[in-house]
């Protein structure tokens, strides 16, 4: 695994066994600036790779603001798609069903992304092993 970013709130790493870039929240995001810093590092890491797969483990993220959600849909995801030059972005979200606020934020991003861009496939999971199996079995051109 190659680690691209780590602080007390999040880590970003590439797992070659599933050919995916992972964003794993280790704690609750405390504000928009912190969220954008983490996700800017994510975009830079994604642009350095050839993968089409991105996993966000948002089980510990907490709620993110409407502005941060708009940033994901308006900046992050379009930046990833632009890097893919016409290929589809496969995005998996790992949710904790007990963390209602994280789930609401993730659902908002999923819904807005689907409306904004047809080259994004967002799938949500509550079981990590099921998500890993799904990502591993996606074969991208």
């Amino acid at each position: 695994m190659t680690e691209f970013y780590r602080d007390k709130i999040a880590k970003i790493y590439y797992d070659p066994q599933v050919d995916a870039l992972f964003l794993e929240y280790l704690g609750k995001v405390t504000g928009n600036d912190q969220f954008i810093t983490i996700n800017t590092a994510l975009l830079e890491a994604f642009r350095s790779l050839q993968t089409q797969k991105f996993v966000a483990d948002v089980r510990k993220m907490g709620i993110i603001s409407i502005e941060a959600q708009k940033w994901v849909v308006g900046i992050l995801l379009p930046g990833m798609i632009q890097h893919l030059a016409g290929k589809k972005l496969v995005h998996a979200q790992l949710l904790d069903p007990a963390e209602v606020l994280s789930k609401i934020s993730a659902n908002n991003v999923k819904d807005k992304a689907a409306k904004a861009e047809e080259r994004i496939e967002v799938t949500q999971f509550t079981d990590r092993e099921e998500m890993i199996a799904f990502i591993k079995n996606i074969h991208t051109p």
Side-chain angles (χ1 to χ4, degrees):
M1 284 198 230
T2 304
E3 190 168 275
F4 289 92
Y5 178 92
R6 178 186 284 269
D7 66 12
K8 63 183 180 173
I9 302 300
K11 67 179 177 178
I12 298 167
Y13 59 93
Y14 174 73
D15 183 342
Q17 294 198 337
V18 292
D19 184 31
L21 183 65
F22 285 74
L23 165 57
E24 182 179 341
Y25 284 95
L26 307 170
K28 294 200 183 319
V29 174
T30 58
N32 284 350
D33 290 343
Q34 183 181 57
F35 179 83
I36 290 171
T37 296
I38 292 166
N39 282 277
T40 298
L42 174 72
L43 181 55
E44 290 171 9
F46 190 80
R47 286 178 172 156
S48 74
L49 299 167
Q50 296 302 312
T51 188
Q52 292 174 240
K53 303 174 193 176
F54 158 52
V55 174
D57 180 344
V58 298
R59 294 176 294 177
K60 297 179 183 177
M61 176 183 70
I63 193 161
I64 58 171
S65 71
I66 297 296
E67 293 80 22
Q69 293 172 35
K70 286 180 182 175
W71 189 91
V72 168
V73 175
I75 305 290
L76 177 64
L77 296 176
M80 290 176 149
I81 287 170
Q82 181 182 30
H83 170 69
L84 293 175
K87 296 177 188 169
K88 188 175 206 169
L89 174 64
V90 178
H91 175 28
Q93 297 174 335
L94 184 58
L95 310 172
D96 178 348
E99 284 289 329
V100 176
L101 297 178
S102 293
K103 190 173 180 180
I104 289 169
S105 295
N107 280 332
N108 285 342
V109 167
K110 178 183 177 186
D111 293 344
K112 289 174 185 171
K115 288 176 187 165
E117 178 58 60
E118 62 203 30
R119 289 176 289 170
I120 301 174
E121 175 187 325
V122 182
T123 308
Q124 295 179 324
F125 298 88
T126 55
D127 180 89
R128 182 174 173 79
E129 296 309 313
E130 183 183 328
M131 182 203 61
I132 294 294
F134 170 81
I135 288 292
K136 199 180 258 190
N137 289 319
I138 294 283
H139 299 287
T140 55

